[in-house]
Amino acid sequence: MPTTFDSVVAVLQDTFYVDTGQAGPDTTFEDLDLDSLALVELALVVEERLGVQLDGFTTQSTLGEATTAIDAALEAAEGARPERLATPTAGS
């Protein structure tokens, strides 16, 4: 199963034709020649593919920061799912 970082790099490669050899956790979006308009498009593609919103990033943000934010959003979405109703125990 690909990591979140791998998924983001795949989006960058598929959508913006970024050379995957350039992409590391400390690489900024600016390093990849992505401007603010490209970040909006990236956010839309990430939301479509991964089901979470990617916002609040600038061209100075790193791929590592984006990956961390996506992982946190995925965990929050997972935690927001309704849990099973607990079976009452004796005495409650």
Side-chain angles (χ1 to χ4, degrees):
M1 183 168 155
T3 65
T4 304
F5 181 81
D6 293 336
S7 297
V8 171
V9 170
V11 168
L12 291 169
Q13 182 180 25
D14 296 346
T15 306
F16 301 101
Y17 309 105
V18 169
D19 176 10
T20 56
Q22 287 183 273
D26 295 328
T27 305
T28 65
F29 293 113
E30 183 177 53
D31 293 339
L32 301 174
D33 294 325
L34 299 180
D35 60 15
S36 57
L37 184 58
L39 290 180
V40 171
E41 185 176 353
L42 175 63
L44 293 172
V45 175
V46 166
E47 184 172 2
E48 180 182 303
R49 289 195 186 179
L50 303 178
V52 296
Q53 291 185 342
L54 178 65
D55 48 51
F57 290 94
T58 69
T59 56
Q60 295 302 311
S61 300
T62 66
L63 296 181
E65 291 168 341
T67 300
T68 299
I70 291 168
D71 283 338
L74 288 170
E75 286 178 25
E78 183 71 26
R81 291 187 178 157
E83 296 182 3
R84 290 185 182 168
L85 295 175
T87 304
T89 57
S92 44

